[in-house]
Amino acid sequence: MRPERLVPLIVACALFMEQLDSTVIATSLPAIAIDLHEDPIALKLALTSYLLSLAVFIPASGWFADRFGSRTVFRAAIVIFTFGSLLCGLASSLPDFVIYRIIQGMGGAMMVPVGRLVILRTVPKQDLVSALAWLTVPALIGPVLGPPLGGFITTYFDWRYIFFLNIPIGLIGVLLASRFIPDIREDDLPPFDLHGMVLSGIGLAGLVFGFALLGQHAVQPWIALVVVVVGAVAMFFYVRHARHTDRPILDLTLLRIPTFFAGVVGASLFRVGIGALPFLLPLMLQLGFGLSPFASGMITFASAAGAMTMKFTAAPIIRAFGFRRVLIVNCFIASACIAVIAVFRPDMSHLALIIALLVGGYFRSLQFTSTNALSYADISSEAMSRATSFASVAQQVSISTGVAVAALVLDSMRSLRGDGTIHLFDFSVAFVVVAMIAVCSVFFFVRLPKDAGAALSGRPRRAVTPAEAPGEMGSAA
């Protein structure tokens, strides 16, 4: 099998485990909340803690892979993730569960970014879009299987068995990595930016986790605000640190590249909207519609099925229309598909719900694939490690922010009524809010040149006049 297919398929084994885990948990949140004697909205901490752990530790993944070898780090990451899964299955309280999810995140932080880095360094640029699509096809099996499988296990057995599923998958991943993943290293490495790692970790965790604590009745609002302020201050000092460091843990100079800026910062707004879906949709179907976890999972899997279908058409669509046009038009379509969920009602045909989610999953996945590929269109091989770390951090922060936004909207709606219960209308408001956030990302895509990402799409690159040069746009970033 050719390298642009073999290596992505192997890396996808790890991504499959991660995606299966996250989608299964989302379907089982109400049942986990009951078993742990917690408010269902409080379980947002289990989602955001994992995503934040990814964001905090991902920046170190590239350096560790370059220093110790991509195969060594990749295998160790799978082991840590699998061990964290075992602990999650044994959790007896929400604090325990959150801590064990953080351990899982430490493994996930090294697992997928390092695998993506191997792909970017071994696959020619003209085959990159195809390789990234091959990477996500098997990985999307996780989201397809996750909801119905998690719902089935939760309904008829126990949610704890969900985490035990990762153990055999992790063992297979270690074996495949040992056999096929190249042990890529860098000889000339800069010193590890520990100072930047601490500042960025505190900053990102403080901002997103503090925001997630808002509306958490177990914590006073002023405590959440203090956490947010601490995060903001840490990020301020990190920006100052990065400006005076040759190789910071998060290289902010990459934002001067227009395609990277649009593919990372612009796409982050879209991911804030999308990140809320795995949290909102299962809760709405179970708490608002009264469905069982299994019935809920049999409906929500349609989004992932639509995403999988898209992977076979991404490259020809981008080749035909170009990145800029696809991103602008598809942003409106994908955001509208989120807003449509607001009109879902219990008396609607399940087939109609599945079709709507199937179509929405297709267009959301097209946006993901396009922005992921565009981000690396103009990145040099030397800067690829820093770029993958930066992009991965932005992705996890935006998704965790989406969960926090959705939870805050739900909690605010029930607080306004004062009855302490979540109504179906609350979910409708939340879906509209996150759809409005997602569509705002279009403002970043309209600033792209018409031939943005031409090296990846296969479309001819037109000559750029001095007036159209992207320098000002990049420096403004």
Side-chain angles (χ1 to χ4, degrees), residues 290-331:
L291 299 179
S292 68
F294 181 54
S296 168
M298 290 300 293
I299 293 176
T300 57
F301 90 97
S303 291
M308 178 179 290
T309 304
M310 188 287 309
K311 296 305 175 183
F312 297 100
T313 60
I317 289 175
I318 295 173
R319 188 178 303 114
F321 299 103
F323 278 101
R324 183 178 183 272
R325 186 180 301 176
V326 169
L327 288 172
I328 293 173
V329 175
N330 192 64
C331 180

Side-chain angles (χ1 to χ4, degrees), residues 100-348:
Y100 300 151
R101 290 284 285 166
I102 291 174
I103 295 175
Q104 268 192 313
M106 293 173 62
M110 299 287 179
M111 196 162 56
V112 178
V114 171
R116 186 181 294 116
L117 179 60
V118 172
I119 294 171
L120 293 170
R121 284 183 170 171
T122 56
V123 176
K125 276 200 170 185
Q126 63 269 23
D127 297 323
L128 191 56
V129 172
S130 175
L132 291 174
W134 275 99
L135 166 66
T136 51
V137 166
L140 285 170
I141 297 176
V144 172
L145 292 179
L149 180 61
F152 179 81
I153 293 175
T154 303
T155 301
Y156 300 106
F157 296 97
D158 192 298
W159 63 267
R160 298 177 186 277
Y161 291 104
I162 290 170
F163 292 97
F164 301 146
L165 289 175
N166 288 332
I167 297 175
I169 299 174
L171 293 175
I172 294 173
V174 170
L175 293 174
L176 290 176
S178 301
R179 177 66 179 85
F180 297 107
I181 294 294
D183 203 27
I184 302 174
R185 299 171 185 257
E186 289 290 332
D187 296 327
D188 186 18
L189 274 180
F192 181 65
D193 183 20
L194 181 60
H195 187 190
M197 174 77 176
V198 173
L199 286 177
S200 63
I202 294 175
L204 294 173
L207 287 173
V208 181
F209 201 69
F211 185 58
L213 288 174
L214 291 174
Q216 187 73 18
H217 299 294
V219 177
Q220 293 295 324
W222 68 267
I223 296 178
L225 291 175
V226 167
V227 175
V228 171
V229 170
V230 170
V233 171
M235 286 306 299
F236 170 78
F237 281 107
Y238 174 76
V239 172
R240 291 185 57 185
H241 163 79
R243 288 176 176 174
H244 300 90
T245 303
D246 291 335
R247 295 292 294 269
I249 193 78
L250 291 176
D251 188 357
L252 301 180
T253 63
L254 292 169
L255 295 176
R256 297 174 184 170
I257 302 172
T259 49
F260 187 80
F261 180 75
V264 173
V265 179
S268 291
L269 270 181
F270 185 78
R271 289 192 180 97
V272 167
I274 301 305
L277 291 185
F279 174 74
L280 282 176
L281 193 55
L283 284 180
M284 183 184 76
L285 293 176
Q286 295 178 50
L287 301 182
F289 286 25
L291 299 179
S292 68
F294 181 54
S296 168
M298 290 300 293
I299 293 176
T300 57
F301 90 97
S303 291
M308 178 179 290
T309 304
M310 188 287 309
K311 296 305 175 183
F312 297 100
T313 60
I317 289 175
I318 295 173
R319 188 178 303 114
F321 299 103
F323 278 101
R324 183 178 183 272
R325 186 180 301 176
V326 169
L327 288 172
I328 293 173
V329 175
N330 192 64
C331 180
F332 288 104
I333 298 175
S335 300
C337 290
I338 301 174
V340 164
I341 303 177
V343 302
F344 284 9
R345 291 297 179 266
D347 57 353
M348 292 179 63

Side-chain angles (χ1 to χ4, degrees), residues 396-416:
Q396 301 307 328
V397 168
S398 59
I399 293 176
S400 58
T401 301
V403 175
V405 168
L408 183 60
V409 171
L410 292 179
D411 194 73
S412 298
M413 292 298 296
R414 70 177 180 181
S415 295
L416 288 174

Side-chain angles (χ1 to χ4, degrees), residues 76-118:
I78 295 177
V79 172
I80 294 173
F81 184 89
T82 306
F83 178 66
S85 300
L86 174 63
L87 294 177
C88 286
L90 301 175
S92 58
S93 67
L94 181 58
D96 291 344
F97 194 45
V98 170
I99 291 173
Y100 300 151
R101 290 284 285 166
I102 291 174
I103 295 175
Q104 268 192 313
M106 293 173 62
M110 299 287 179
M111 196 162 56
V112 178
V114 171
R116 186 181 294 116
L117 179 60
V118 172

Side-chain angles (χ1 to χ4, degrees), residues 385-452:
S385 175
R386 288 172 283 145
T388 54
S389 294
F390 196 128
S392 298
V393 168
Q395 179 173 333
Q396 301 307 328
V397 168
S398 59
I399 293 176
S400 58
T401 301
V403 175
V405 168
L408 183 60
V409 171
L410 292 179
D411 194 73
S412 298
M413 292 298 296
R414 70 177 180 181
S415 295
L416 288 174
R417 284 193 309 272
D419 57 7
T421 59
I422 306 175
H423 294 191
L424 183 57
F425 178 71
D426 303 341
F427 291 102
S428 298
V429 174
F431 280 114
V432 171
V433 169
V434 297
M436 292 173 62
I437 294 174
V439 78
C440 288
S441 64
V442 74
F443 294 109
F444 292 87
F445 304 134
V446 296
R447 302 171 65 190
L448 286 168
K450 291 183 178 180
D451 60 351

